[in-house]
């Protein structure tokens, strides 16, 4: 394998690194107007001029090389470890033309590491509107670098950037200022003790709050003379260093950049006056949420009905077209198609949900919500930044839990991780929607449908459970960690259609394929278990039933139906279902629902598909999932199985229960211990059971 | 009396005079919160917490507990 050129994209949060990455590699990583969208290293390949192949690494944003949260650590670890296979041959520092001053701080630090550095000034399309002009030649000379002015939004300057990356050998590795002047004597001592090490690297290792696994901090600590500086002294030195860097930057920009304020138009101030207003800010936020729920209901019912009936016809078509297929046809028509139909039907609603979240993120509104909610969230031991995981958790808890990485305080972060699975994720949506449509009457109040309001209530319950348990955790967890909060308020941006569309597409796709795989597997297993059984009762069902109803003069259809359900009751799955029935009967469920609940411990969205598979085994009519469920009769009490009491009980069970393997896995990864996912699973499921029990016993 | 950022009213400005390096996280300094820089209070949340600031062109929000450690000279207009 020939050596590739390693290119790392580094820069402050929200400067457009991922946008540059996508432009270079042709990939579609998620972009969003909120600092901290990227929390992991992402890699891709880019073809440069003259046949050079570059390995591009997109990194989380960082304000400096002094890490204060986990996502920033990734960057520093990479830059300090020359043996890392991804160690960059060239660092491309991406900056935002409107925040050049602050962005250059990081640039000067990276220069001190003597890595070839290329400066990208992104968002050039905004220069005119803000009245900014740059003297590129002067800046290149002062900063000892080459500069590429680009706009990923307008797709300008990308080819030139590729050219400049290919010419990386011409970049100077001279630092642009000497930071060691802040304490000449100390740095001289350091240099003498470690003549072979880079001075700035040593300094970074000494001052980092966080411990890097492998880095040679211990070696430095081992030499006693360097412990002479107290922590306070070191901090003072760091402050001095920062001031010195800013002095340099200010001087450079004084000549290199002119801002004509009279040219600038400021929509931001006007928007902020309303959107972050003490009262209106909250009112608007509430209405945005309300609109989302109404939209999920009203806009997607048409495509949903269409999908539902298409799948029913498809299943029937398979049966009619391949009648000779026997068991295989049955498996495909009853097991797989019904199971998959149970998830595909929810694509419209899930896509809408993703669409709204993407718009909130791309517009810059998310940071305003963080600002509005911080005070409230802190009461519960959370941070304003916890709002982002809690909102994006409505799509899926997995990325949401990863998005907690930019929360500075470990305690606030841990609590956020632990409570995020309570928020109503899109996998619960299928269950909610189908149950609501069965047990909540149609009709409207003030133009809002009862069903949409019930859905909103369920989201509020999820949110309330998250916040409430955060409050409890905050009281019982004895973790000391410095709580500190700063969040950048980005400019408002008109969401770029392409970005939003791609995000929605990617997320929906991975939801469907992720869920699809599990559902496919489970449907097949369930179908087999439902279609075979041990013993006389199953194998001899025809005779038993025919005899039993010999006097009743049943039509052939009715008789066949009776046989099929007798078989199902005595199939493997029926036996298993009856075994667990005592535990779930007090909640108002029959054994079929029980099986659906058990299988949805793998993933919640399996619920509808499981029921669809179980119900369709042995039934020949072309029926939609919903109609089949509506037709189920409670075996003991009579009347519809899915009535108000059992429906509410099911809704509450799904609202609280921790039924997602993947989430547990990610919690284990992020907290680095099995303890937390195990607690989470046990406690959430117990809460679910208790609430479902109370609800059913009161309402029945 | 010494003023801090927490004393500002919405729309008021000041010049940062001193930042306690022990109590203020380095990250905030790196985001531009340094002596000599201009600060404007853009917006306050209910109970004046957190505070939405424009420091030297950077827009950021910090909590009141942090803001009381950043000393300023008020600019009266
Ligand atoms: N006007 C304008 N906006 C841009 C440009 N490039 C990116 N953006 C927007 O800037 C925002 C941030 O872009 P990202 O690519 O997610 O930034 P990032 O640096 O990867 O951010 P983090 O991963 O959060 O650190 C998005 O809203 C983009 O649409 C540009 O050239 N012009
Ligand atoms: Mg990014």
């Amino acid at each position: 394998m020939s050596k590739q050129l390693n290119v790392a994209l580094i820069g402050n949060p929200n400067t457009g690194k991922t946008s540059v990455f996508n432009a270079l590699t042709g990939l579609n990583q998620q972009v969003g107007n909120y600092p901290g969208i990227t929390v992991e290293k992402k890699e891709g390949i880019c073809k440069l001029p003259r046949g050079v192949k570059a390995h591009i690494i997109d990194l989380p944003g960082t304000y400096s090389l002094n890490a204060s949260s986990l996502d920033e650590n990734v960057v520093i670890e990479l830059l300090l470890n020359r043996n890392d296979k991804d160690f960059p041959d060239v660092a491309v520092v991406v900056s935002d033309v409107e925040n050049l001053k602050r962005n250059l701080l990081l640039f000067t630090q990276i220069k001190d590491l003597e890595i070839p550095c290329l400066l990208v000034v992104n968002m050039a399309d905004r220069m005119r509107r803000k009245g900014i002009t740059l003297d590129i030649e002067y800046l290149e000379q002062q900063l000892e670098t080459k500069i590429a002015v680009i706009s990923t939004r307008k797709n300008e300057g990308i080819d030139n950037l590729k050219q400049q990356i290919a010419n990386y050998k011409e970049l100077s590795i001279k630092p642009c200022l000497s930071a060691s002047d802040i304490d000449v004597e100390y740095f001289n001592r350091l240099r003498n003790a470690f003549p072979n090490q880079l001075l700035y690297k040593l300094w970074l290792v000494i001052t980092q709050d966080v411990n890097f696994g492998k880095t040679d901090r211990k070696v430095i600590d081992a030499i006693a003379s360097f412990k002479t500086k107290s922590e306070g002294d070191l901090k003072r030195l760091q402050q001095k260093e920062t001031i010195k860097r800013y002095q340099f930057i200010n001087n450079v920009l004084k000549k290199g950049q002119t801002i004509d304020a009279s040219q600038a138009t400021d929509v931001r101030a006007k928007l902020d006056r309303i959107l972050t207003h003490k009262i209106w800010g909250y009112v608007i936020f509430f209405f945005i949420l309300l609109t989302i729920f109404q939209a999920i209901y009203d806009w997607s019912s048409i495509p949903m009905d269409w999908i539902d009936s298409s799948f029913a016809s498809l299943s029937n078509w398979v049966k009619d077209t391949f009648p000779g297929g026997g068991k295989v046809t049955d498996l495909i028509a009853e097991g797989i198609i019904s199971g998959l139909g149970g998830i595909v039907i929810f694509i419209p609603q899930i896509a809408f949900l993703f669409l709204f979240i993407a718009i909130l993120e791309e517009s810059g509104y998310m940071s305003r919500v963080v600002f509005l909610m911080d005070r409230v969230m802190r009461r519960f031991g959370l941070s304003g930044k916890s709002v982002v995981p809690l909102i994006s958790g409505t799509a899926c808890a997995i990325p949401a839990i990863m998005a907690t990485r930019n929360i500075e305080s470990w305690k606030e972060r841990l609590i956020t991780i632990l409570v995020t699975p309570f928020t109503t994720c899109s996998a619960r949506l299928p269950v909610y929607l189908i149950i609501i449509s069965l047990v909540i009457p149609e009709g409207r109040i003030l133009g809002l449908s009862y069903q949409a309001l019930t859905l909103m209530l369920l989201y509020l319950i999820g949110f309330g459970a998250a916040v409430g348990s955060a409050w409890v955790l905050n009281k019982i967890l004895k973790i000391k960690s410095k709580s500190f909060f700063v969040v950048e308020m980005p400019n408002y941006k008109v969401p770029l259609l392409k970005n939003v569309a791609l995000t929605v597409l990617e997320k929906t796709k991975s939801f469907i394929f992720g869920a699809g795989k599990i559902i496919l597997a489970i449907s097949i297993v369930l179908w087999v278990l439902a279609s075979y059984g041990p013993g006389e009762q199953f194998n001899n069902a025809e005779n038993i039933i025919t005899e039993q109803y010999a006097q009743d003069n049943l039509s052939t259809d009715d008789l066949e139906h009776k046989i099929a359900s007798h078989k199902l009751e005595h199939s493997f799955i029926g036996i298993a279902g009856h075994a667990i029935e005592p535990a779930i009967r007090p909640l108002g469920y029959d054994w079929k629902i029980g099986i659906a609940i058990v299988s949805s411990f793998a993933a919640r969205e399996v619920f509808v598909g499981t029921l669809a598979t179980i119900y369709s085994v042995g039934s020949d009519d072309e029926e939609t999932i919903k109609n089949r469920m509506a037709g189920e009769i409670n075996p003991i009490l009579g009347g519809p199985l899915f009535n108000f009491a059992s429906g509410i009980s099911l809704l509450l069970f799904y609202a609280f229960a921790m039924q997602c393997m993947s989430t547990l896995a990610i919690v284990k990864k992020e907290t680095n211990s099995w303890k937390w996912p195990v607690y989470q699973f046990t406690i959430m499921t117990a809460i679910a059971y208790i609430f479902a029990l109370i609800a059913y016993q009161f309402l029945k | 009396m010494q003023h801090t950022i927490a004393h500002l009213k919405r729309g008021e400005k000041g010049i940062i005079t001193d930042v306690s390096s022990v109590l203020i996280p380095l990250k905030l300094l790196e985001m531009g919160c340094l002596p000599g820089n201009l600060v404007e209070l853009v917006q306050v949340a209910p109970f004046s917490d957190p505070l939405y600031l424009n420091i030297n062109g950077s827009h950021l929000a910090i909590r009141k507990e942090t803001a009381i450690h950043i000393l300023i000279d008020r600019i009266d207009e």
Side-chain angles (χ1 to χ4, degrees), chain A residues 14 16-19 29-32 34 36-39 58-61:
Chain A
N14 216 29
K17 296 173 296 300
T18 306
S19 305
Q29 290 297 340
Q30 194 193 348
V31 165
Y34 174 76
I37 293 281
T38 311
V39 290
D58 182 26
L59 292 163

Side-chain angles (χ1 to χ4, degrees), chain A residues 474-492:
Chain A
N474 187 34
K475 293 271 175 247
I476 54 179
L477 284 182
K478 293 276 170 278
I479 298 177
K480 273 224 172 65
S481 79
K482 47 182 184 313
S483 128
F484 151 68
F485 170 89
V486 50
V487 63
E488 205 190 331
M489 307 290 259
N491 266 319
Y492 291 102

Side-chain angles (χ1 to χ4, degrees), chain A residues 64 66 239 246 272 378 487, chain B residues 21 30 49 52 59 61 63:
Chain A
S64 84
N66 301 301
Q239 183 174 7
Y246 268 118
D272 271 338
R378 226 180 323 155
V487 63
Chain B
S21 68
E30 289 168 340
D49 195 13
Y52 175 178
H59 294 80
R63 287 179 183 164

Side-chain angles (χ1 to χ4, degrees), chain A residues 11-22 29-39 58-62 71 94 96 98 121-126 129 150-155 361-364 490-491 493-496 499:
Chain A
N12 284 184
N14 216 29
T15 52
K17 296 173 296 300
T18 306
S19 305
V20 173
F21 177 85
N22 289 345
Q29 290 297 340
Q30 194 193 348
V31 165
N33 192 11
Y34 174 76
I37 293 281
T38 311
V39 290
D58 182 26
L59 292 163
T62 176
D71 49 347
V94 181
D96 166 2
E98 286 182 58
V121 177
N122 189 21
M123 315 216 187
D125 51 303
R126 295 182 64 91
R129 182 146 11 128
I150 67 166
S151 161
T152 56
R153 198 162 263 220
K154 294 259 180 329
N155 208 9
E361 274 176 357
E362 257 291 280
S363 60
N491 266 319
K493 293 210 170 90
V494 180
L496 197 61
N499 284 347

Side-chain angles (χ1 to χ4, degrees), chain A residues 63-64 66 68-69 72 99 101-102 105 109 235-236 238-239 242-243 246 268 272-273 276-278 282 368 371 374-375 378 382-385 408 412 483-489, chain B residues 10 18-35 37 42-53 56-66:
Chain A
Y63 289 104
S64 84
N66 301 301
S68 59
S69 59
E72 300 183 340
N99 283 312
K101 193 185 289 174
R102 202 191 56 215
L105 180 79
Q109 291 177 326
K235 271 196 103 171
R236 218 155 296 142
Q238 281 182 302
Q239 183 174 7
T242 310
I243 294 175
Y246 268 118
R268 156 193 207 118
D272 271 338
R273 203 159 302 151
T276 60
H277 187 271
K278 273 181 197 179
Y282 294 94
R368 274 68 189 182
F371 169 74
D374 181 60
R375 176 65 198 243
R378 226 180 323 155
L382 297 167
S383 152
K385 290 186 184 176
E408 293 90 349
E412 288 173 350
S483 128
F484 151 68
F485 170 89
V486 50
V487 63
E488 205 190 331
M489 307 290 259
Chain B
R10 206 176 67 163
D18 194 17
V19 180
S20 150
S21 68
V22 188
L23 296 167
I24 297 295
L26 185 61
K27 186 167 174 185
L28 201 55
L29 307 181
E30 289 168 340
M31 290 173 92
C33 183
L34 289 169
N37 281 347
V42 180
Q43 187 71 272
V44 288
F47 306 103
S48 330
D49 195 13
L51 304 164
Y52 175 178
L53 308 170
N56 217 16
S58 289
H59 294 80
L60 37 101
I62 59 174
R63 287 179 183 164
K64 200 173 174 180
E65 64 195 28
T66 315

Side-chain angles (χ1 to χ4, degrees), chain A residues 547-601:
Chain A
E547 254 169 51
Q548 192 178 339
Y549 291 98
Q551 273 90 46
D552 290 0
N553 241 341
L554 287 178
S555 69
T556 0
D557 265 3
D558 274 350
L559 195 63
E560 261 178 26
H561 190 75
K562 286 262 184 312
I563 296 174
S565 52
H566 188 80
K567 270 186 142 171
L568 191 56
E569 297 256 328
H570 295 92
S571 64
F572 289 110
I573 202 155
I575 294 166
H578 284 299
I580 58 168
E581 211 169 9
I584 51 168
R585 166 127 7 244
L587 311 185
Y589 317 149
D590 72 346
W591 68 268
K592 293 176 194 165
I593 301 182
I595 292 290
I597 289 181
V598 171
S599 61
S600 45
F601 273 96

Side-chain angles (χ1 to χ4, degrees), chain A residues 167-211:
Chain A
N167 293 341
Y168 79 104
K169 289 225 167 78
E170 291 161 24
L171 293 169
S172 130
I173 54 165
K174 235 173 84 191
C176 34
L177 76 162
S178 67
S180 56
D181 287 356
I182 49 175
D183 188 336
V184 179
E185 194 261 344
Y186 178 74
F187 279 92
N188 273 339
R189 264 198 295 143
L190 206 56
R191 199 187 329 250
N192 291 336
F194 301 94
N196 301 324
Q197 293 274 11
L198 202 62
L199 199 56
Y200 186 62
K201 185 175 156 183
L202 287 173
W203 173 236
L204 282 179
V205 174
I206 291 174
T207 50
Q208 292 307 306
D209 281 342
V210 267
N211 246 324

